[in-house]
Amino acid sequence: MEESSKPSGYNEYVAGFLAGFAIVVIGHPFDTLNVKLQKHNTEAQGIKYRNGLHCTARILATEGGVQSNGPQPRVIIPSAAFGGAIISFVLCPSELVKCRMQVQGTDSLVPKSSSYSSPLDCALKTIKSDGVTGIFRGGSTTLLRESLGSVVFFSVYEYVRYYMHLQLKTGSSDHINLIDMGIGIVSGGLGGVAFWSAVLPLDVVKTIIQTAPDKCSPTNPFQVLNSIYMRAGLRGCYAGLGPTIVGAFPVNAAAIVTWELAMKLLGIKND
């Protein structure tokens, strides 16, 4: 006699409970925003929120304890990962074109008949041969690289910045602008070095996937990474480490210093 595949009432109850739990956990933050907007924006007195983003920022600043007692991993990690995931959708097509243009040259295995005259030519030829989805080849690898890398970058940046501020700015207001610039250079530079040290293997994988001449070649990042390791070992997974690390410090230091200076000029406080 065959066992009935029909779920029992108990199993249905558990499944329903878990679904309801997921709804509450995911939906509660949005419900909090909804209630605060309804309460504050309809009363004559008290703060008025401009929109949902303003309300979110106020909650994180006043109730979430952002930077009140040092860096907050519970804020940094999800924010950085989400930001990295979003930017990967912009980076993937642009980096595919960049990589395919860069592998051309005297040492290239790319046949001259397949060479590109410009970034636009590369993008158009890619879309023509592989379709619109072809321009997003390596997208999952880019998303992993940016999400994980952003978590590492901002964690290192925030902690280095915080502890340097404690050591250098306690009880001293002399040369404060120079101190801020120095902290920005060190924290941004170390964040960039940490970023690329953590995710360079994924960047190698992305380059292999995006420059593969055969559109049927594998795009699974873990499968490609394993094949690189089997063929070239750990050294192959970190190909290009030298130039990447050398460039990472000054590039990210300049980016952070410029960003912090712009924040000051715009009158935005960055505690």
Side-chain angles (χ1 to χ4, degrees):
M1 183 177 178
E2 290 185 1
E3 248 183 67
S4 173
S5 60
K6 185 177 179 181
S8 67
Y10 172 77
N11 289 339
E12 287 184 346
Y13 173 80
V14 172
F17 171 80
L18 292 175
F21 179 78
I23 289 171
V24 171
V25 170
I26 295 172
H28 185 72
F30 298 97
D31 186 59
T32 300
L33 294 177
N34 180 42
V35 171
K36 282 183 174 289
L37 285 165
Q38 290 174 345
K39 173 69 175 174
H40 289 270
N41 287 16
T42 55
E43 292 188 339
Q45 297 178 344
I47 187 171
K48 299 290 188 294
Y49 299 117
R50 294 190 294 273
N51 49 47
L53 288 175
H54 179 224
C55 182
T56 302
R58 286 284 303 170
I59 292 171
L60 290 175
T62 60
E63 299 175 37
V66 179
Q67 295 298 331
S68 58
N69 295 306
Q72 302 292 318
R74 63 196 176 102
V75 175
I76 296 171
I77 292 172
S79 301
F82 181 71
I86 294 298
I87 200 172
S88 70
F89 290 98
V90 178
L91 284 177
C92 182
S94 61
E95 290 203 1
L96 180 139
V97 170
K98 174 186 73 71
C99 288
R100 292 191 173 186
M101 293 289 292
Q102 286 175 330
V103 296
Q104 298 181 138
T106 54
D107 297 331
S108 176
L109 297 175
V110 179
K112 288 190 176 181
S113 58
S114 302
S115 62
Y116 310 108
S117 59
S118 67
L120 180 60
D121 180 52
C122 177
L124 292 176
K125 283 183 177 178
T126 300
I127 292 172
K128 185 177 180 180
S129 63
D130 302 342
V132 176
T133 56
I135 203 75
F136 287 95
R137 184 179 179 84
S140 60
T141 310
T142 308
L143 188 147
L144 278 173
R145 185 196 71 180
E146 290 303 311
S147 295
L148 295 174
S150 294
V151 169
V152 173
F153 175 87
F154 284 104
S155 296
V156 171
Y157 163 71
E158 290 289 353
Y159 276 97
V160 171
R161 180 176 177 273
Y162 175 72
Y163 286 112
M164 285 190 74
H165 269 287
L166 285 182
Q167 296 297 320
L168 299 176
K169 295 185 71 174
T170 304
S172 174
S173 59
D174 297 333
H175 310 297
I176 190 167
N177 288 331
L178 286 176
I179 291 174
D180 283 341
M181 183 176 291
I183 291 174
I185 290 172
V186 175
S187 59
L190 290 179
V193 170
F195 176 103
W196 286 110
S197 298
V199 301
L200 188 62
L202 287 172
D203 190 61
V204 175
V205 168
K206 181 190 71 67
T207 298
I208 298 300
I209 291 173
Q210 291 185 328
T211 58
D214 183 6
K215 64 181 180 181
C216 295
S217 57
T219 58
N220 184 310
F222 303 107
Q223 181 183 347
V224 176
L225 182 61
N226 183 61
S227 68
I228 293 171
Y229 180 76
M230 296 299 292
R231 185 171 59 252
L234 191 62
R235 188 184 183 90
C237 296
Y238 279 89
L241 178 65
T244 302
I245 295 300
V246 169
F249 193 97
V251 167
N252 288 279
I256 289 297
V257 169
T258 303
W259 174 69
E260 291 187 346
L261 179 61
M263 295 273 282
K264 283 186 178 180
L265 292 174
L266 294 170
I268 303 171
K269 192 176 181 183
N270 183 31
D271 293 328

